[in-house]
Amino acid sequence: MKNTAHNITAEEAITEVTRRFSEKITPAMAAVITHDSDPVALQYLPDIRELETRPEEHVDPIGDHTYSPVKGIVHRHADRVLFKVSSVCAVNCRFCFRKMMLGTPEETLNLQEVDEALAYIENHPEIWEVILTGGDPLILSPRRISRLMDRLEAIDHVRIIRIHSRIPVADPQRMDDAFCQLLNREKPVYMVIHINHVQEITPQAEQIFRRLHRNGVTLLSQSVLLKNINDTVEALESLYRKLVEMRIKPYYLHHPDLVPGTNHFRVGIEQGQLLMKNLRARASGLCLPAYVLDIPGGYGKIPLENAYITSVSGGYIITDYQGRNHTYSKN
Ligand SMILES: *Cc1c(COP(=O)(O)O)cnc(C)c1O
Ligand code: SF4
């Protein structure tokens, strides 16, 4: 073991891993784990490789702090803000892009800070969409969620409310009928569910998806591309087909961010591009998310999928999904 200056046992190393980022899993997720290296276990069980950090890794990999005008708000794009209403989650994903910020006092909003964040949104008429995120926004009490939704609905220029959550999958027990009804609003509510593998979909989660649909919530998914978890075309295809069958549109496949101690989860961008190309060759367009990278430093997300088009004199060469080239003329 060469993780620290002196030799430590594997047990001491795990203790250090969980001191930095505690182990947290729900009964629902523990129940679907079949062995300790299956695609769910690998997302939640602490691993001594988390102690290995690399120079390119960063505490704030996607530059949240650079674009935060008031506590809890990230305003990078004019028409939308992230509103980080909670700093905790139902589960702790070992690869989490905000793992260095979760649960810290600097990230936890008190009621006055919530008011200040809402005032910022009120005072910026260009904000068309508010994205509730965290941590996990749905960890809040039903009363706080309901009040937050009321306040957002009351701001005229906010037309869209989006919620990013892992709870429908990771902790479906939280979302009873009454809870889901709180999300039934006059304004459109979109929910982007974080899910990485088909094994995470339990009958309870399916019930929550139906309940959310009944309450008018539009469902999308986002996944992180993770080594040994979903980095095969078969894994992605079965996840996305199942999601589409459940009326959930795959939205983003994130290239993993440069979070400290997550190198063992990262795959190369070329591999991600190849996976997307193979997925495009065999699955319905409904099953294709955008494969994106959050540029380190806070420069936003960009699509990473291979270019299917090259500019040449007088026109373009276009490559189809089977790899055949075609010319397309410039007019
Ligand atoms: C990801 C992100 C959004 C949302 O981007 P979409 O492409 O609209 O999903 C908004 N603001 C920030 C700062 C983000 O990182
Ligand atoms: S649910 Fe999201 S924010 Fe929470 S630990 Fe997992 S990846 Fe991080």
Side-chain angles (χ1 to χ4, degrees):
M1 277 274 337
K2 279 199 281 282
N3 290 313
T4 57
H6 62 290
N7 286 340
I8 56 175
T9 65
E11 205 178 313
E12 285 167 337
I14 288 292
T15 304
E16 176 57 17
V17 166
T18 56
R19 190 189 64 75
R20 293 184 192 184
F21 187 55
S22 60
E23 181 175 3
K24 192 173 185 189
I25 186 168
T26 53
M29 288 298 95
V32 295
I33 292 177
T34 55
H35 58 91
D36 61 11
S37 58
D38 79 22
V40 178
L42 289 177
Q43 297 183 56
Y44 296 119
L45 300 186
D47 186 306
I48 54 175
R49 287 172 296 179
E50 293 174 45
L51 297 177
E52 298 163 18
T53 56
R54 300 166 70 92
E56 67 274 21
E57 294 174 341
H58 202 280
V59 174
D60 179 16
I62 62 174
D64 278 354
H65 292 153
T66 323
Y67 289 91
S68 185
V70 295
K71 189 165 165 178
I73 296 282
V74 185
H75 197 182
R76 180 192 292 141
H77 307 284
D79 74 332
R80 58 208 192 275
V81 288
L82 300 184
F83 185 3
K84 297 196 273 181
V85 293
S86 146
S87 71
V88 288
C89 297
V91 286
N92 279 352
C93 313
R94 307 315 300 177
F95 52 84
C96 175
F97 63 125
R98 293 208 178 98
K99 73 190 288 187
M100 308 304 282
M101 304 180 206
L102 287 186
T104 60
E106 306 85 74
E107 293 287 319
T108 308
L109 300 185
N110 62 34
L111 291 179
Q112 191 198 327
E113 289 163 338
V114 170
D115 282 343
E116 285 162 9
L118 286 164
Y120 178 87
I121 295 168
E122 256 159 21
N123 294 329
H124 287 77
E126 73 276 21
I127 299 172
W128 172 82
E129 176 181 23
V130 172
I131 303 168
L132 300 178
T133 179
D136 201 310
L138 298 184
I139 200 94
L140 297 180
S141 68
R143 227 180 83 223
R144 282 193 68 182
I145 292 172
S146 170
R147 224 171 339 148
L148 206 50
M149 299 296 280
D150 291 345
R151 300 275 303 268
L152 292 172
E153 276 210 308
I155 303 173
D156 193 46
H157 58 265
V158 173
R159 297 303 168 87
I160 306 291
I161 301 169
R162 194 200 309 183
I163 299 170
H164 281 198
S165 178
R166 194 147 169 58
I167 284 180
V169 164
D171 199 7
Q173 284 90 331
R174 286 186 80 81
M175 301 186 69
D176 58 17
D177 256 324
F179 188 102
C180 292
Q181 279 165 25
L182 298 177
L183 305 176
N184 194 340
R185 296 280 154 172
E186 287 298 315
K187 289 186 178 175
V189 175
Y190 286 75
M191 189 181 293
V192 182
I193 297 171
H194 174 181
I195 178 166
N196 302 314
H197 195 276
V198 73
Q199 193 179 318
E200 292 166 61
I201 302 173
T202 57
Q204 296 90 310
E206 292 196 52
Q207 189 187 10
I208 305 306
F209 303 152
R210 282 194 295 272
R211 217 173 247 168
L212 288 166
H213 280 130
R214 273 204 304 277
N215 283 290
V217 179
T218 301
L219 299 184
L220 307 167
S221 73
Q222 61 177 337
S223 313
V224 185
L225 179 58
L226 296 164
K227 192 190 241 172
N228 298 328
I229 292 171
N230 60 12
D231 60 341
T232 62
V233 71
E234 292 77 16
L236 293 176
E237 181 180 4
S238 55
L239 171 63
Y240 293 143
R241 285 196 193 280
K242 181 74 181 165
L243 288 172
V244 171
E245 287 167 19
M246 296 184 306
R247 302 178 163 88
I248 302 176
K249 173 70 184 93
Y251 178 52
Y252 277 154
L253 173 63
H254 295 273
H255 191 75
D257 293 313
L258 295 168
V259 193
T262 60
N263 188 57
H264 56 292
F265 286 114
R266 286 201 289 275
V267 301
I269 287 177
E270 294 79 4
Q271 193 188 340
Q273 290 176 319
L274 183 62
L275 286 170
M276 285 304 300
K277 190 172 156 196
N278 291 339
L279 195 60
R280 187 172 288 280
R282 58 204 267 177
S284 158
L286 291 176
C287 298
L288 300 176
Y291 173 43
V292 294
L293 173 72
D294 232 303
I295 306 170
Y299 301 99
K301 294 178 191 65
I302 49 115
L304 282 179
E305 208 172 333
N306 316 48
Y308 286 86
I309 179 164
T310 334
S311 188
V312 292
S313 71
Y316 307 92
I317 305 278
I318 310 240
T319 308
D320 68 26
Y321 71 99
Q322 291 179 316
R324 295 170 305 200
N325 285 335
H326 311 271
T327 58
Y328 187 90
S329 57
K330 237 175 216 146
N331 54 16

